[in-house]
Amino acid sequence: MRSKKIITVIMGVISFVWFIPIYFMLINSFKPFKEVVLETAKFPSTFYLGNYIELFKNTNYLQLFFNSIIITSLSVAGIVLLSSMLGYRMARYKNRFSKYLFIYISFAVIIPFQAIMIPLVKVMNSLFLIDTRIGIILVYIAHGLPFGTFLYYSSIVKISELIDQSAKIDGANLIKIYTKIIFPMCSPITVTVVILQFLYIWNDFLLPLIVLKTNTIHTLPLGMSAIIMGEYSNKWNYAMASAFLTSIPMILVFVFLQKYIIKGVAEGSLKI
Amino acid sequence: MLAFKRKLNTIQKEAIFIAPSLTLYTIFFVIPFAIGIYYSFTNWQGISHNYEIIGLSNYTSLIKDQFFIDSIKRTLYFTLFNIFFTNVLGMIFALMLAGEVRFNKVYRLILMLPSILSLVVTGFLWQFMFTKISADIYKYTSIDLFNTNWLSDNKVILYSIVIVTVWQGLGYIMMIFIAGIKSVNTSVIEAGKIDGANGMKSFFYLQLPLMLPTILVGIFLNLAGSIKIFDVVFSLTGGGPGRISEVMVLNIYKEAFINNRLGYANAKAIVLTAVVILIVSIQMICMNKVGDQR
């Protein structure tokens, strides 16, 4: 019993230390510039909202937020749809074709994004997809597909083919079998794929950095970094306020869906 | 004729399922990769569309590129430290929080919180911590540690980056380890107890070997991320001051999108790919070995 109490205390101290940077981000976002410079570590005497008002007035935060929502949700939806379809068929092929597909898709697991980023810009350029939201969505889908396909494949292989066959005898075609039977049976995998891809795409920085040039279509991390490094550089009060604004959506999602996120992280990693 | 039609029909239906994915994957992944290998043998500069094939000379000149070599060394050094601290601390924290300890849900939540933040935000946040907050704490406490030039001292800067990445990535690894601890069959531990394996003995001879697959997942997940570290360094130091914190991907990024030497940058990216492929191969061998033992 005593050892448990000691652990509670030790981990309490560690969690406290872990929270310090977030705490300082919060308190300094509610201070005017002068107070941040002179008394950085002090708790604000009054909650000053000027930084946030300024950011909402002079930057396109809502636009950035909207862009991130659109890009992330459509990409994740595309990944779920396409990878479950591909995974389903791959699990059912009995010939060598399935093996070849597997090897073909495995490239994505081995080859890092950095190896393709430079020519990717050129490919997107020649397809008139550079600097467009639809372009970046298609790239996210293409890059997230293999991971999703593997997860769906490994769970659909375990579903007996007799289910397909009996549905077929009842007159269901392939598309109906997939939408009414197979896909609903994979919903635990869908949750895992959605969470991991959502976390990854929402926070991704490198791809938006190289393909999104116009600032009206920037994602939240990219637009926010441009704001901090641009007109507000060295103004810590604005930097901390916009850092917090960028983090709020994710923090809310995390607090409300933590059960699923923790499950998704744990399961996704164990299945790789 | 009818049989042929039916066969065509099934092919069409199969195509609906697999063609869209394969098309996207081919256009946005496989083709760029193939083009990239080709470009690595040219002196392509981006803006001008003329380029020549120059054979291996990109590869021979990057061996002599001191900045690139330094960035590789730096990245490997960083990776080693990051993996060590993230996984060891992650394991210790996981062991402490896996059981029924008071407040363990709250503690897990707090430790996990940084891993859902964007890495760029994390970089800016820690830039603030290292410059302003650290100086302010020194002002009040005069503890020498806080008088460090975290982001400008040549000897310290790499460790500063490790502090940030451990802070950021530990929660994620810890959650994976907790899942691993919970998946270990408790009856084995109980049986060990009867045979006299207690405390440390039980941990090192029973629990740890049983968790080996999970530990490997944690290490390799961390390894792949560390080799490709970019976002944090981009916002924390931008590779500076000078180039003393420039990591491999940042070096490639600058070569490609700032210096516009796209052919040369691609040769560097291929080197990175080779490193990653080496790691993945080692990972697969390890995982297979562990799989065989079970």
Side-chain angles (χ1 to χ4, degrees), chain A residues 243-261:
Chain A
F244 183 54
L245 278 180
T246 312
S247 312
I248 285 178
M250 238 10 204
I251 292 176
L252 287 180
V253 167
F254 181 61
V255 168
F256 287 110
L257 299 177
Q258 50 160 309
K259 205 176 94 190
Y260 299 100
I261 292 180

Side-chain angles (χ1 to χ4, degrees), chain A residues 154-173:
Chain A
S154 59
S155 86
I156 295 175
V157 162
K158 288 179 205 138
I159 299 174
S160 166
E161 219 180 328
L162 291 173
I163 291 175
D164 292 40
Q165 280 158 7
S166 59
K168 212 171 185 179
I169 292 165
D170 291 342
N173 63 22

Side-chain angles (χ1 to χ4, degrees), chain A residues 4 7-22 24-25 28 36-42 82-83 85-86 88-90 93 97 101 104-124 127 129 135 138-139 141-143 145-146 173-175 178 196 199 202-206 209-210 213 221 224-225 228-229 236 240 242-244 246-247 250-251 254-255 258 261-262 265-266 269-270 272, chain B residues 10 13-14 16-18 20-22 24-33 35-37 39 44 49 51 89 92-93 95-97 99-103 105-121 124-129 131-133 136-137 139-140 166-168 170-172 174-176 179-180 183 214 217 221 228 230-231 234-235 238 249 252-253 256-257 262 265-266 269-270 272-273 276-277 280 283-284 287:
Chain A
K4 275 191 180 169
I7 289 176
T8 306
V9 173
I10 293 174
M11 288 314 293
V13 173
I14 290 169
S15 305
F16 174 77
V17 171
W18 232 253
F19 193 68
I20 285 175
I22 293 172
F24 280 128
M25 167 175 81
N28 282 293
V36 175
V37 174
L38 294 176
E39 283 161 330
T40 321
K42 219 177 142 198
L82 292 185
S83 62
M85 282 163 69
L86 183 61
Y88 171 40
R89 291 323 297 159
M90 272 170 64
Y93 294 143
F97 185 53
L101 275 180
Y104 188 60
I105 290 179
S106 304
F107 283 134
V109 182
I110 302 169
I111 296 161
F113 170 72
Q114 287 74 15
I116 65 159
M117 68 178 179
I118 300 161
L120 181 69
V121 172
K122 193 182 160 70
V123 168
M124 289 176 79
L127 294 171
L129 287 171
L138 291 176
V139 173
I141 295 174
H143 291 190
L145 257 174
N173 63 22
L174 203 54
I175 294 167
Y178 160 76
L196 292 180
L199 280 174
W202 183 275
N203 286 333
D204 187 38
F205 181 68
L206 187 51
L209 179 68
I210 61 175
K213 307 287 175 208
M224 176 264 185
S225 75
I228 293 181
M229 288 170 140
W236 289 113
M240 289 307 111
S242 74
F244 183 54
T246 312
S247 312
M250 238 10 204
I251 292 176
F254 181 61
V255 168
Q258 50 160 309
I261 292 180
I262 288 169
V265 167
S269 68
L270 294 184
I272 292 171
Chain B
T10 37
K13 274 192 187 130
E14 292 295 340
I16 293 173
F17 277 85
I18 64 172
S21 343
L22 291 182
L24 279 181
Y25 177 65
T26 308
I27 294 176
F28 295 112
F29 200 95
V30 180
I31 290 178
F33 180 62
I35 298 177
I37 293 176
Y39 278 146
W44 184 39
H49 286 280
Y51 53 81
L89 289 178
I92 294 172
F93 292 1
L95 286 169
M96 293 214 251
L97 293 180
E100 294 300 313
V101 175
R102 227 170 147 209
F103 302 130
K105 293 249 163 70
V106 184
Y107 294 163
R108 284 188 214 170
L109 197 74
I110 293 173
L111 292 169
M112 182 82 179
L113 196 58
S115 25
I116 55 142
L117 298 184
S118 132
L119 281 162
V120 202
V121 170
F124 286 121
L125 181 53
W126 277 92
Q127 198 185 12
F128 183 60
M129 292 293 294
T131 50
K132 286 298 306 165
I133 299 283
D136 216 52
I137 294 177
K139 202 170 80 186
Y140 286 116
V166 170
W167 179 79
Q168 206 269 340
L170 183 128
Y172 200 92
M174 181 190 77
M175 287 321 298
I176 292 171
S183 71
T214 321
V217 166
L221 213 64
K228 292 183 267 182
F230 174 77
D231 308 16
F234 184 89
S235 59
V249 177
I252 297 172
Y253 169 81
F257 298 106
L262 298 173
N266 237 315
I270 300 296
L272 174 71
T273 310
V276 172
I277 289 177
V280 173
Q283 174 181 10
M284 282 173 176
M287 294 302 245

Side-chain angles (χ1 to χ4, degrees), chain B residues 45-242:
Chain B
Q45 302 268 352
I47 310 149
S48 67
H49 286 280
N50 320 320
Y51 53 81
E52 291 158 28
I53 295 175
I54 52 170
L56 285 173
S57 75
N58 278 335
Y59 290 94
T60 48
S61 49
L62 64 80
I63 297 170
K64 289 176 228 138
D65 186 338
Q66 199 53 47
F67 288 119
F68 185 59
I69 302 291
D70 283 348
S71 79
I72 295 178
K73 279 186 197 157
R74 204 170 285 131
T75 308
L76 293 178
Y77 204 63
F78 158 79
T79 300
L80 226 64
F81 276 94
N82 189 34
I83 290 177
F84 179 78
F85 285 110
T86 308
N87 283 280
V88 170
L89 289 178
M91 178 56 83
I92 294 172
F93 292 1
L95 286 169
M96 293 214 251
L97 293 180
E100 294 300 313
V101 175
R102 227 170 147 209
F103 302 130
N104 68 354
K105 293 249 163 70
V106 184
Y107 294 163
R108 284 188 214 170
L109 197 74
I110 293 173
L111 292 169
M112 182 82 179
L113 196 58
S115 25
I116 55 142
L117 298 184
S118 132
L119 281 162
V120 202
V121 170
T122 310
F124 286 121
L125 181 53
W126 277 92
Q127 198 185 12
F128 183 60
M129 292 293 294
F130 282 139
T131 50
K132 286 298 306 165
I133 299 283
S134 177
D136 216 52
I137 294 177
Y138 179 67
K139 202 170 80 186
Y140 286 116
T141 62
S142 31
I143 298 171
D144 272 339
L145 176 71
F146 295 106
N147 199 22
T148 314
N149 290 321
W150 299 100
L151 297 180
S152 52
D153 190 332
N154 198 359
K155 290 194 191 78
V156 180
I157 196 156
L158 215 57
Y159 301 103
S160 308
I161 298 172
V162 172
I163 291 175
V164 180
T165 51
V166 170
W167 179 79
Q168 206 269 340
L170 183 128
Y172 200 92
I173 299 291
M174 181 190 77
M175 287 321 298
I176 292 171
F177 286 164
I178 288 179
I181 291 170
K182 289 196 165 160
S183 71
V184 168
N185 198 341
T186 45
S187 62
V188 179
I189 310 287
E190 293 299 322
K193 232 175 220 168
I194 296 166
D195 290 341
N198 275 319
M200 283 294 172
K201 228 179 192 173
S202 163
F203 174 70
F204 282 108
Y205 289 102
L206 292 172
Q207 205 167 2
L208 210 58
L210 284 170
M211 281 184 63
L212 204 58
T214 321
I215 294 169
L216 286 178
V217 166
I219 290 175
F220 282 112
L221 213 64
N222 217 226
L223 184 57
S226 306
I227 292 282
K228 292 183 267 182
I229 181 176
F230 174 77
D231 308 16
V232 169
V233 181
F234 184 89
S235 59
L236 187 67
T237 67

